[in-house]
């Protein structure tokens, strides 16, 4: 009894090809899941690192900057803001006074 080639294809090769296709599909799905989990973990790591860095900066500011330096910077900043405010007030006064003192052409200024 001789076995025909189509029987070999049907009985042996077709299930093997189907099994290989199934394995490749499973590997592709697994790799996609791993990539998605990796992206999520990286996002969580970046967020956690940012939070830790912000906490560290705050701790450094609290622990290593002397209070006298903070007071000095605050005083200099306040003085500078007061100078800016006085200049703005002067500019505002200068722009309002000429508008009242000048007359409109053709009006009688009393």
């Amino acid at each position: 009894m001789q076995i025909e080639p189509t029987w070999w294809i049907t009985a042996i090769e077709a299930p093997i090809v189907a099994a290989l296709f199934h394995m490749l599909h499973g590997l592709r799905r697994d790799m996609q899941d791993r990539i998605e989990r990796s992206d999520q973990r990286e996002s969580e790591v970046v967020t956690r690192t940012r939070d830790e860095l912000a906490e560290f900066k705050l701790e450094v500011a609290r622990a290593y900057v002397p209070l006298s330096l903070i007071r000095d910077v605050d005083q200099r900043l306040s003085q500078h803001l007061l100078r800016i405010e006085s200049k703005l007030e002067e500019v505002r006064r200068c722009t309002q006074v000429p508008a009242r003192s000048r007359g409109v052409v053709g009006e009688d200024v009393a």
Side-chain angles (χ1 to χ4, degrees):
M1 170 172 187
Q2 189 168 359
I3 301 174
E4 299 212 11
T6 56
W7 184 86
W8 281 105
I9 292 172
T10 305
I12 295 174
E13 289 182 13
I16 289 174
V17 170
L20 286 174
F21 177 76
H22 180 69
M23 287 173 48
L24 287 174
H25 180 68
L27 286 172
R28 187 189 61 80
R29 188 175 57 232
D30 184 48
M31 289 301 291
Q32 187 65 30
D33 290 344
R34 286 183 183 189
I35 289 171
E36 288 174 4
R37 283 193 310 252
S38 174
D39 290 345
Q40 184 180 8
R41 275 184 288 187
E42 287 176 6
S43 175
E44 291 171 359
V45 167
V46 168
T47 302
R48 189 172 54 242
T49 303
R50 267 195 204 127
D51 292 343
E52 290 173 359
L53 180 61
E55 289 175 14
F56 177 73
K57 286 179 178 180
L58 186 59
E59 182 61 31
V60 167
R62 285 181 183 154
Y64 297 109
V65 177
L67 192 57
S68 61
L69 181 62
I70 293 174
R71 287 183 182 145
D72 181 47
V73 169
D74 182 51
Q75 184 180 13
R76 287 184 7 223
L77 184 62
S78 296
Q79 289 173 351
H80 191 67
L81 288 172
L82 288 173
R83 285 195 306 266
I84 291 172
E85 184 181 358
S86 66
K87 288 179 182 178
L88 288 173
E89 286 292 324
E90 184 179 328
V91 168
R92 188 173 57 92
R93 275 187 263 126
C94 289
T95 58
Q96 288 178 351
V97 171
R100 281 192 241 141
S101 65
R102 65 179 180 180
V104 178
V105 176
E107 260 188 34
D108 194 13
V109 178

